[in-house]
Structure formats: structure tokens, C-alpha cells
Amino acid sequence: MACVLLFSRLHPFSHRLTRTSICLLSLFLSYLCYCALFPADTIMQKSGDPTPSCQRVVADGAKRRIQKTPSCVLPLDARPIIVEVSRLKSDQRPPSILHIDTPVLPWFGNKKLPNAIIVGVKKGGTRAVLEFIRIHPDVRAAGTETHFFDRNYDRGLEWYRGLMPRTLESQITMEKTPSYFVTKETPHRISAMSRDTKLIVVVRDPVTRAISDYTQTLTKSPDLPSFQDLAFRNQSLGIVDTSWNAIRIGLYALHLENWLRYFPLAQIHFVSGERLITDPAGELARVQDFLGLKRIVTDKHFYFNRTKGFPCLKKPESSGSPRCLGKSKGRTHVQIDRDAIEQLRDFYRPYNIKFYEMVGHDFKWE
């Protein structure tokens, strides 16, 4: 209204003004109107110093945010603050909502090198751990395996950084590439990037893991030799072929020795692939503790899918179906001769015992 009155007073003199002057005057009046309607202290905040009004708009409007996802307008150089539903106290949350995906908007945050990496092992349950932990609002993860430290190291750290999602200062950046654990050069390369990187290794009974590995490969190469032909140099004598990758991966103690040259044991967390199936919430609680996160991912997020024989994430209210891992997860293993299995258990036993002693935990694979 004030803008209209001011313009009416200036109108009698408008014939004396040039077109340029009129345009500049219009822009100036528009700016004054905008400032009057939208005070800066209600929509902007300085980095590290969020104003109470901005926080109040987000918190008080939490229920509306679920439908419209409003946010405070921030200056480009400010650190954005996004309050997610999963961070609200239980009495502030809408009913019947287990998890609301509130991704960081693409123009917020920065791409950072990872704070934590799931380094192994293949067919241990790494995809499940990543999918489960990334529903935590303080975790953002690269969606695909980057293979930077084993296949693409010559591309440089800036190329690697470019593969990471944008994260806020308070969030953890993660990636997972299971082949890292068995690649000799990887521990040194990750250490050169940052000695503070936290490492997660998902381990599983090496015999079961080898059979699962073979089953996956068989679906891609139906003409593959039998499991026994690949696993043994001489089965009658019980001589195992450790050059076969499916067997070599399960020598966890030997691979761990290489990692301990560059990282202390306290910086490596081991997830049990077996317990990840029977007690996913318990395993995720330990992962959250290791990463220094609040325990937000709990048993209310999971249900057991009897068809797949694997836990799945319960669906959020906004989704039409639960979130389960792909068809390749939880597939039925090929049948292997019982004698061959026992021979492999005898082969792995001393390596398993040494691994238990190194990490201070008995995974009970015998």
C-alpha cells in the first residue's frame, strides 16, 4: 500500500523523467516493497549463527513440511540448516511415520572426500549395510561402487571427490567398494588421503561366502566349471587352490595384516554378515556407535522377508512398497558336495582362529 501511495505522488512529475529513470525508479520501489514484505531477519541466517525465527518457521511447520517441504531461504555463502522429521523428538513427529527421506537439496552443502568407507568383503553383506545406514539423516553415500583406490587411482582425488554426494558439515560422507579389502595397495592409498578415515568390513563365514560368490558368477557365466574344480587343486588330497579369488577373499587374517600396517584396529569396525540377517538393528546400532552417530536406525525400520530370507526396510508412509535389496540378494545357493564343504572348513579353520584373535571377537564360523 505504501508503494502505491508513493508512486501516486510521483506520477505528476513522470513526464519529466526519462525511460531509464522510470525503470530505475520502478526497480527501487520494487526492492523497497520486497524488503517491507520479507524482512531479512526472518528468511536469512549467517553461517554458524541460525536465527531463532528461521528455526521456528521450520520446527513449527514440521507437519506442513511433510507435504510441501518448505525451507528457509539462505544466502549462498551460508551453511544451510535443514531440520529433518527423523531428527524431531517423538512427540513432535507425525504418527505412523518410520522414516521420511529428506535428501539434501542439490545446491546445498559441499562434495567432500569420504569420512568412512565400507571396504569389504564381497558377498558379505556390504550393500545391505550401506542401504541400511544411509537412511540415517546424518549419512550421505555414493550410490555406486567407485573403485577409486583399486582401479581409478590415477584419476586423482578431485575426480573421486566429484563422485561423492553433497553433504552438510554435520553429515558423514560414505562410499563402499568391497574389493578394497583384498587389494594390496588400497590401505596405503586411503591412509594417504586421510589417516582418520573410518573403515567398515562386513565379514561372513568364508565357506558360505565362497559358495555365494560362485553362485553369483554362475548366473553370469553358465559354462563355468564346477565349484569343486575351481576350489581344489587336488580334492582327493584336500589341496585348496588359493589363487581362485573366491577362496582368497576368505583369508581375512592375511588381508587384515596389510590394513593394520596403516590403520589402528580401533579405526576398523567388523560387521557380522550372519547377525546382519538375524539381528539387523543390533548390527546397525554398533555401526552407528562406531561412526559417532545417534542411534536413529532401530528395529522399527526392519522386517524379515521370508521369501528372500533377508531383512528389508519397512516402507515409509509416503511409499507404496517396502525397500528390499535387489534380486541378486538372498538368492538360493547352488548345492555343493558335503565332503568339499568339510574340506574347506578344515582349510579355513586356522585362518579363522587367527582372525578371531586379531579382532578380539569369535564369529563362531565353526
Side-chain angles (χ1 to χ4, degrees), residues 105-134:
L105 296 177
W107 53 87
F108 284 163
N110 300 301
K111 292 192 174 188
K112 300 181 293 186
L113 294 171
N115 314 90
I117 303 176
I118 301 174
V119 297
V121 297
K122 180 184 179 184
K123 305 309 296 178
T126 57
R127 173 54 62 181
V129 171
L130 184 70
E131 291 302 315
F132 294 165
I133 193 61
R134 73 191 305 180

Side-chain angles (χ1 to χ4, degrees), residues 76-136:
L76 292 177
D77 60 345
R79 172 185 167 210
I81 307 293
I82 298 179
V83 178
E84 298 183 6
V85 174
S86 55
R87 292 188 187 181
L88 299 178
K89 295 180 181 179
S90 57
D91 58 346
Q92 294 175 308
R93 297 185 190 180
S96 304
I97 293 182
L98 294 176
H99 170 67
I100 299 296
D101 259 336
T102 313
V104 177
L105 296 177
W107 53 87
F108 284 163
N110 300 301
K111 292 192 174 188
K112 300 181 293 186
L113 294 171
N115 314 90
I117 303 176
I118 301 174
V119 297
V121 297
K122 180 184 179 184
K123 305 309 296 178
T126 57
R127 173 54 62 181
V129 171
L130 184 70
E131 291 302 315
F132 294 165
I133 193 61
R134 73 191 305 180
I135 68 174
H136 196 292

Side-chain angles (χ1 to χ4, degrees), residues 121-122 150-151 178-186 204 206-207 209-211 213 227 230-233 240-256 258-259 344 347-348 351-352:
V121 297
K122 180 184 179 184
D150 59 351
R151 301 179 190 173
S179 55
Y180 287 165
F181 188 65
V182 299
T183 304
K184 185 178 180 180
E185 299 81 12
T186 298
R204 183 183 184 185
V207 177
R209 197 221 65 81
I211 296 172
D213 198 338
F227 180 86
L230 294 170
F232 295 94
R233 290 183 178 177
V240 176
D241 188 353
T242 56
S243 66
W244 186 33
N245 200 46
I247 294 294
R248 187 175 65 88
I249 291 174
L251 303 174
Y252 304 140
L254 298 184
H255 303 304
L256 181 57
N258 186 34
W259 285 88
L344 287 176
F347 166 76
Y348 277 119
Y351 294 100
N352 291 345

Side-chain angles (χ1 to χ4, degrees), residues 203 270 272 275 283 286 352-365:
V203 290
F270 297 92
S272 167
R275 285 203 304 268
E283 284 301 299
R286 285 180 278 273
N352 291 345
I353 292 173
K354 183 177 181 180
F355 179 66
Y356 299 162
E357 293 172 349
M358 293 174 73
V359 302
H361 181 78
D362 185 349
F363 288 89
K364 303 184 184 302
W365 291 326

Side-chain angles (χ1 to χ4, degrees), residues 39-220:
D41 61 344
T42 63
I43 63 172
M44 301 183 73
Q45 62 185 11
K46 294 182 179 179
S47 178
D49 184 25
T51 64
S53 59
C54 182
Q55 289 180 322
R56 184 171 59 254
V57 169
V58 175
D60 292 346
K63 292 184 179 179
R64 287 184 286 108
R65 179 176 184 165
I66 296 171
Q67 299 173 347
K68 301 181 180 180
T69 319
S71 60
C72 297
V73 179
L74 305 177
L76 292 177
D77 60 345
R79 172 185 167 210
I81 307 293
I82 298 179
V83 178
E84 298 183 6
V85 174
S86 55
R87 292 188 187 181
L88 299 178
K89 295 180 181 179
S90 57
D91 58 346
Q92 294 175 308
R93 297 185 190 180
S96 304
I97 293 182
L98 294 176
H99 170 67
I100 299 296
D101 259 336
T102 313
V104 177
L105 296 177
W107 53 87
F108 284 163
N110 300 301
K111 292 192 174 188
K112 300 181 293 186
L113 294 171
N115 314 90
I117 303 176
I118 301 174
V119 297
V121 297
K122 180 184 179 184
K123 305 309 296 178
T126 57
R127 173 54 62 181
V129 171
L130 184 70
E131 291 302 315
F132 294 165
I133 193 61
R134 73 191 305 180
I135 68 174
H136 196 292
D138 287 333
V139 173
R140 297 275 290 159
T144 58
E145 296 174 7
T146 69
H147 285 281
F148 173 67
F149 293 104
D150 59 351
R151 301 179 190 173
N152 297 300
Y153 194 63
D154 59 338
R155 292 176 178 261
L157 286 174
E158 287 309 306
W159 177 85
Y160 184 46
R161 188 198 304 272
L163 301 178
M164 297 301 118
R166 292 184 179 275
T167 52
L168 305 181
E169 191 64 31
S170 60
Q171 292 178 311
I172 290 176
T173 303
M174 291 185 66
E175 76 119 325
K176 77 105 178 171
T177 302
S179 55
Y180 287 165
F181 188 65
V182 299
T183 304
K184 185 178 180 180
E185 299 81 12
T186 298
H188 171 67
R189 290 172 176 177
I190 294 179
S191 176
M193 177 188 72
S194 174
R195 294 182 179 179
D196 297 326
T197 306
K198 293 188 174 183
L199 309 168
I200 297 175
V201 186
V202 189
V203 290
R204 183 183 184 185
D205 181 338
V207 177
T208 308
R209 197 221 65 81
I211 296 172
S212 177
D213 198 338
Y214 174 79
T215 302
Q216 183 184 53
T217 307
L218 192 63
T219 61
K220 301 174 182 178

